Amino acid sequence: MVSPDRELQFALDTRRENSLYRQRKILQSAQGAQVQVDGQACIGFSSNDYLGLANHPVLIAAFQDATNKYGVGSGASHLVSGHSAIHQALEQELAEFTGRPRALLFSTGYMANVGTIRALSDSGDLIVQDQLNHASLLDGGFLSRAEFQRYPHQDLPTADQILSTSTSTSTSTKRKLLVTDGVFSMDGDLADRPALADIADRHDAWLMVDDAHGFGVLGANGRGIAEHFDMSVEQVPVLIGTLGKAFGTFGAFVAGSDALIETLIQFGRTYIYTTALPPAVAAATRVALTLVDSESWRRQKLHHLIAHFQAGARQLDIPVLESVTPIQPVLIRDDEKVMGISEYLLDKSFWVGAIRPPTVPRGSARLRIALNAEHDESDIDRLLDTLATAVRECR
Ligand SMILES: *Cc1c(COP(=O)(O)O)cnc(C)c1O
C-alpha cells in the first residue's frame, strides 16, 4: 500500500511544478497602510479592510468594553444560549442599514452563502449562478440538492436562456434562485443588478446577491450595491453581506423579509449548528456601522484613490482591468510571472496579492491590488512606478 503521505505528496509536488503552490506570509502587525510582513516593513495592498476600520481606536474600545461585560466566547449557538443582547441589537441595526425588514447574523460569509442556498432549495429546484461567483456561493450550489447551472461571467442572455429552458420543462412549483456576487471579488466589476432583477422577474426566480465587497464602499451612504442601483427588497429578496471586509471586523449577515429570516433560523444548518460570533465582535461591528456614516470621508477618499490608481495605471500601460471598486486587478496571465512580479514588489516593500488558478480561470493569473482609505496618493504613485518596472522586467 502507498502510504497516505506519499500519495498526498504527489499532488503537492504537481501543484508546485505548475507554479500553483500557495504559501502563507506571516503578518506581524495590525492591518493598515503600513504593515510588517515576514520581518519586513511594507505598504499593504492586499487587505479587504477597505475603509481602514480593522484597527480603528473606536472599534477597539467597543471590543474591549464588550469583552469586560460579556467575556471572550459566546458559549453556544444562537438557538441554544449564545444569542446576546449585542447580537440582537446589531441585527436590528443591519436591517436598518440595508433598508430590509430583518437581518440575521452568521459566523462567516462562507457559511451564510452555503446555508442560505441550501435552506432555500431542494431537489427539483434550479440554482443559476455566474461562473465567477465567490467559491462559497458555488459550493452552496454544489452542496444543494437542486439542479445547479452556471453561466459565463456576466453573460446575462445565457442566464436568461437557462431559466427559460427550465421553465418549459418543469412544473410551476419549481423554485429558481438566480445568484450573483454584487462586486466580483477577483475582477472588481459590478453585476448588472437591474438587468438581473428583470430576468429574475420574468422567470419568477429569486435574486440572491452577495455584496461582500460593496457594503461600506458603494452607494452614497455606503449601503452597498442595493443603494448604488436603488433596489428594493422585492427586487433583491436575498441580500448577503460580510463584516470582515469594509466593516473591519468578522462575520456576515443575510438581510430580507421576516419570512426569509425565520426560514433561515429554522432550516439554515450553517446557522443552527455553529457557535455564535463572540459578542465583542458584534459590539465592534455596531460601531463600524456608525463610522460608515460619521466618517464618510473614508469612502470619499477611497473613491478618489481608485480614480487616481486607474488613471495612473493607464498612463503607464499597466494592464489594469476597469474597476470602480477598491479591487484593482492587474492581468498578468502567466502563473510563474505573476509570482515573480509579486516577489519583486515585496522586495521593494509593496505587499500585493498574486491570484492564480483555481481561484481565477486558467490563463488569467493576476495581481489583486486592494486599495484602502488609509493609503495616500503618494503610496499609489510609488506602487505604480514600481509596478510599471516590474511588468517590463519580469518575464
Ligand atoms: C470574502 C467573501 C465571502 C466570504 O466571507 P467570509 O466572512 O470571509 O467567510 C463570501 N462572498 C464573497 C463575494 C466574498 O468576497
Side-chain angles (χ1 to χ4, degrees):
M1 194 187 104
V2 186
S3 81
D5 276 1
R6 274 192 56 193
E7 207 173 309
L8 295 176
Q9 199 57 49
F10 179 76
L12 293 172
D13 290 345
T14 309
R15 179 163 269 219
R16 209 185 279 277
E17 279 156 24
N18 293 338
S19 300
L20 294 177
Y21 208 78
R22 285 135 152 89
Q23 269 167 315
R24 300 168 300 173
K25 296 200 190 308
I26 299 179
L27 180 67
Q28 295 153 316
S29 66
Q31 292 292 358
Q34 314 286 333
V35 287
Q36 181 85 13
V37 189
D38 285 343
Q40 190 190 343
C42 42
I43 306 182
F45 284 102
S46 53
S47 162
N48 300 320
D49 176 29
Y50 304 126
L51 297 179
L53 298 182
N55 192 33
H56 194 293
V58 183
L59 267 74
I60 296 171
F63 187 95
Q64 284 169 342
D65 270 2
T67 307
N68 290 338
K69 182 160 179 212
Y70 281 89
V72 174
S74 67
S77 65
H78 285 274
L79 283 173
V80 173
S81 66
H83 188 66
S84 71
I86 301 184
H87 294 116
Q88 181 68 23
L90 175 58
E91 286 183 347
Q92 276 160 9
E93 286 156 7
L94 283 167
E96 282 160 33
F97 186 85
T98 54
R100 265 56 188 164
R102 281 185 74 184
L104 186 71
L105 281 173
F106 277 75
S107 293
T108 70
Y110 190 103
M111 294 164 74
N113 284 338
V114 168
T116 301
I117 290 175
R118 170 85 190 224
L120 294 182
S121 62
D122 211 334
S123 63
D125 293 341
L126 174 67
I127 297 166
V128 181
Q129 297 203 22
D130 189 297
Q131 234 163 26
L132 294 192
N133 275 354
H134 190 263
S136 56
L137 291 172
L138 298 175
D139 287 356
F142 291 124
L143 293 170
S144 77
R145 299 186 207 80
E147 178 188 344
F148 177 33
Q149 299 222 31
R150 286 168 287 172
Y151 54 90
H153 183 47
Q154 301 269 33
D155 180 353
L156 302 191
T158 301
D160 190 59
Q161 197 188 347
I162 294 171
L163 284 160
S164 51
T165 321
S166 93
T167 311
S168 59
T169 57
S170 68
T171 65
S172 57
T173 53
K174 184 167 168 171
R175 187 179 292 167
K176 297 174 214 114
L177 273 183
L178 178 56
V179 184
T180 184
D181 275 21
V183 174
F184 287 88
S185 53
M186 296 299 142
D187 290 60
D189 55 335
L190 307 189
D192 186 347
R193 286 254 306 251
L196 282 161
D198 281 351
I199 293 175
D201 189 43
R202 215 163 332 121
H203 300 290
D204 280 329
W206 300 356
L207 184 57
M208 169 170 168
V209 177
D210 173 0
D211 203 17
H213 298 277
F215 278 112
V217 170
L218 294 177
N221 302 298
R223 267 45 171 182
I225 198 162
E227 182 184 28
H228 182 83
F229 287 124
D230 190 17
M231 300 192 68
S232 66
V233 65
E234 287 75 26
Q235 291 165 305
V236 185
V238 189
L239 183 59
I240 313 274
T242 65
L243 305 171
K245 289 165 180 151
F247 293 120
T249 61
F250 186 80
F253 64 92
V254 179
S257 69
D258 184 54
L260 172 72
I261 300 305
E262 282 302 317
T263 298
L264 296 176
I265 294 173
Q266 304 305 321
F267 304 110
R269 296 172 64 85
T270 60
Y271 179 77
I272 299 166
Y273 299 108
T274 199
T275 301
L277 281 178
V281 171
T285 309
R286 294 183 66 193
V287 174
L289 284 184
T290 67
L291 291 185
V292 167
D293 283 330
S294 65
E295 299 191 358
S296 59
W297 63 265
R298 291 178 180 274
R299 185 167 40 262
Q300 285 149 15
K301 181 171 169 203
L302 183 61
H303 286 291
H304 173 76
L305 294 174
I306 291 166
H308 187 73
F309 181 90
Q310 281 273 324
R314 278 172 209 293
Q315 232 164 38
L316 292 168
D317 277 334
I318 293 167
V320 67
L321 301 185
E322 199 173 311
S323 161
V324 296
T325 70
I327 302 167
Q328 295 290 324
V330 175
L331 202 57
I332 304 298
R333 301 190 182 279
D334 182 78
D335 301 330
E336 208 176 323
K337 186 172 173 186
V338 80
M339 292 314 288
I341 294 178
S342 90
E343 275 154 35
Y344 179 98
L345 290 173
L346 191 58
D347 191 52
K348 307 279 187 221
S349 300
F350 298 102
W351 189 15
V352 171
I355 313 286
R356 291 164 289 168
T359 306
V360 292
R362 240 177 251 260
S364 75
R366 67 199 62 186
L367 300 167
R368 181 181 182 277
I369 294 167
L371 303 179
N372 102 42
E374 300 278 300
H375 288 134
D376 287 323
E377 264 186 25
S378 67
D379 296 329
I380 288 175
D381 292 340
R382 282 185 294 141
L383 171 67
L384 285 169
D385 280 344
T386 314
L387 187 54
T389 312
V391 171
R392 268 198 314 272
E393 289 186 4
C394 296
R395 307 233 169 255

